[in-house]
Amino acid sequence: MVGTVDHLKVRSAAGVPGGGDDGRSGTAIIAKPKTKTKRPNLYRVLLLNDDYTPMEFVVLVLERFFNKSRDDATRIMLHVHQNGVGECGIFTYEVAETKVTQVMDFARKHQHPLQCVMEKK
């Protein structure tokens, strides 16, 4: 943690009834550490190609769970088909994990072997 020091004036007790002056200058230094926030780690959500999941189903997944337009979803689906893997998006850990679970559950519900994984960026 990186810290800086802020200087604050503090009134001495001199001049206050019953306060007494102990000979100090009336100034104190108070250290107030400033915490630097770190950006969260990001994770890529990837679809893996298989020989059984229909292309139209992959497009539907990309539209529904990743808010892709029809054109973008089609482009990503073709990339997955031709290269074996394609990126759906980049998210924080919790969001990526949720997306992977949603896609996998949806694929199983529709009896498709589509695989969705996440990897640290």
Side-chain angles (χ1 to χ4, degrees):
M1 182 183 323
V2 177
T4 61
V5 177
D6 292 332
H7 296 282
L8 301 174
K9 290 278 188 184
V10 178
R11 292 184 157 208
S12 76
V16 177
D21 188 1
D22 60 3
R24 295 187 198 174
S25 68
T27 302
I29 297 176
I30 300 174
K32 182 179 176 187
K34 289 189 179 180
T35 56
K36 285 193 172 194
T37 55
K38 182 182 156 196
R39 288 188 175 270
N41 291 324
L42 296 177
Y43 292 80
R44 299 171 66 206
V45 175
L46 307 169
L47 284 179
L48 306 179
N49 189 43
D50 65 73
D51 294 333
Y52 302 101
T53 304
M55 291 180 176
E56 191 56 38
F57 184 79
V58 176
V59 170
L60 173 65
V61 164
L62 290 163
E63 290 173 332
R64 179 178 286 192
F65 298 105
F66 299 97
N67 299 315
K68 301 295 184 186
S69 67
R70 174 67 88 180
D71 288 342
D72 286 343
T74 302
R75 182 182 47 77
I76 294 168
M77 176 275 298
L78 288 172
H79 182 85
V80 171
H81 180 69
Q82 294 166 352
N83 298 292
V85 64
E87 183 177 279
C88 305
I90 300 173
F91 309 95
T92 60
Y93 180 84
E94 292 80 9
V95 174
E97 185 178 48
T98 300
K99 298 254 184 215
V100 167
T101 300
Q102 289 174 330
V103 170
M104 295 295 289
D105 289 348
F106 189 69
R108 297 301 155 265
K109 179 180 174 187
H110 290 86
Q111 299 178 345
H112 295 300
L114 182 65
Q115 293 292 305
C116 185
V117 297
M118 59 189 260
E119 71 176 22
K120 194 170 183 179
K121 185 165 164 66

